[in-house]
Amino acid sequence: MSFKLKGEKLERIESATENIINALIDTLSDKVPRQNSFKLFEEKNSSSNSVSAQMNKVFGRQKTIHQILGGGKSADVLLWRNKRISSSVLGGATAVWALFEWLNYHFLTLICLTLASGMLLQFIWSNAARTFNSSSDVPRVKLPDKLFMELAVSAGNQLNQFLGFIQDISCGRSLKDFLMVVFGLWAASVIGSWCNFLTVLYIGFVSAHVVPVLYERYEDQVDYSFASLVSVLQKQYSKLDDSLKKKVSKRGSFKSKKLE
């Protein structure tokens, strides 16, 4: 009885999440129109426009968001090409998160209950088929070996790429990139101290379904703001670099005078 009530709660949570997300996306798309008024340079000719457009892209990218996300069905889901599928995926993730966080389910408990329910259905099906002399076979679930191999290979490749990236940064000579990566890892550790690993995964999953579609719709505004922020940071960094160089040169000249 309690399992049935919890199942009804999960269905309500999932449907409510889908409605909220759809309403949020529709509201944002209605209130903030897609404009092309945010540019860093005036439109003089087509060649200068294309060059400035590439310069103003976040991180200097030249591909579309759909291409950066890998293309295919996964990118369609993240960019909400089909609102029903995307909202269902996000609602399902919300239901799973609520199942463990709000209803205090444990992973082992969920697995055991799922297996017990499947065995019960197969038991009823097989006995009903014998009773009514039916020739229909009881459905069986079998996961393909290729699926696990592809998941393992994909996970290994992603992990190796991440390890290679941070090692390239640590062995490189760019202090700015090194500090940015260290700050990002420190921020992730702080967020991890606030909540458990499942909540962090859920936040990342929700962000992956919200941030790309919002950036795609308001690309010009985001690129303009990002370019302005980078310009300010570059000016501050150049000032700091010049002041440090002056201090080092003054100390060097002062020591040489002392030696003389």
Side-chain angles (χ1 to χ4, degrees):
M1 189 68 177
S2 61
F3 182 74
K4 184 178 180 181
L5 291 175
K6 290 180 179 180
E8 292 178 354
K9 288 182 180 180
L10 286 178
E11 292 179 358
R12 293 176 183 175
I13 292 172
E14 184 175 355
S15 61
T17 305
E18 292 180 7
N19 295 332
I20 292 171
I21 293 169
N22 288 329
L24 178 62
I25 296 296
D26 293 336
T27 303
L28 288 174
S29 60
D30 292 338
K31 288 187 176 182
V32 184
R34 299 190 65 179
Q35 298 176 356
N36 294 324
S37 58
F38 293 91
K39 294 182 180 179
L40 292 181
F41 306 102
E42 295 293 333
E43 294 185 359
K44 294 182 179 180
N45 49 56
S46 59
S47 61
S48 62
N49 289 337
S50 61
V51 173
S52 62
Q54 291 182 0
M55 291 296 293
N56 295 338
K57 296 295 183 183
V58 175
F59 303 115
R61 64 176 183 83
Q62 297 180 356
K63 296 182 180 180
T64 62
I65 298 298
H66 192 272
Q67 292 173 344
I68 292 175
L69 294 176
K73 295 182 179 180
S74 59
D76 292 339
V77 172
L78 294 176
L79 293 175
W80 293 73
R81 296 289 188 262
N82 189 326
K83 290 185 178 181
R84 185 174 181 180
I85 295 177
S86 299
S87 60
S88 299
V89 172
L90 193 54
T94 303
V96 171
W97 177 77
L99 184 70
F100 290 105
E101 291 296 320
W102 288 359
L103 302 180
N104 295 324
Y105 262 87
H106 297 284
F107 184 72
L108 182 61
T109 304
L110 182 63
I111 292 296
C112 292
L113 288 176
T114 303
L115 293 175
S117 301
M119 291 180 64
L120 180 61
L121 289 175
Q122 286 186 334
F123 179 79
I124 296 174
W125 191 311
S126 61
N127 283 276
R130 293 173 186 173
T131 303
F132 297 103
N133 296 322
S134 177
S135 59
S136 60
D137 296 330
V138 179
R140 292 175 175 267
V141 178
K142 184 178 180 181
L143 299 176
D145 297 335
K146 187 178 180 181
L147 175 64
F148 295 99
M149 294 177 63
E150 291 179 352
L151 288 176
V153 170
S154 177
N157 290 333
Q158 295 295 328
L159 181 60
N160 287 328
Q161 288 181 3
F162 176 73
L163 292 175
F165 170 74
I166 60 175
Q167 290 177 91
D168 291 339
I169 295 296
S170 61
C171 296
R173 297 183 178 180
S174 178
L175 179 61
K176 182 174 66 174
D177 294 340
F178 177 78
L179 293 177
M180 287 178 62
V181 173
V182 171
F183 177 77
L185 294 175
W186 175 79
S189 67
V190 172
I191 295 174
S193 64
W194 294 341
C195 50
N196 55 25
F197 184 66
L198 180 62
T199 303
V200 173
L201 287 179
Y202 175 70
I203 293 173
F205 191 82
V206 173
S207 301
H209 282 77
V210 174
V211 174
V213 65
L214 291 179
Y215 174 72
E216 186 185 42
R217 293 189 179 186
Y218 315 122
E219 183 176 355
D220 296 331
Q221 293 91 326
V222 175
D223 288 340
Y224 173 78
S225 301
F226 180 80
S228 302
L229 178 61
V230 170
S231 178
V232 172
L233 292 177
Q234 286 178 348
K235 290 179 180 178
Q236 296 298 326
Y237 180 78
S238 61
K239 289 181 181 178
L240 179 62
D241 190 31
D242 293 337
S243 63
L244 290 176
K245 287 180 180 178
K246 289 179 180 178
K247 289 182 180 180
V248 171
S249 62
K250 287 182 180 178
R251 287 183 180 180
S253 61
F254 182 73
K255 287 183 180 180
S256 62
K257 289 181 180 179
K258 274 189 173 183
L259 292 174
E260 291 176 357

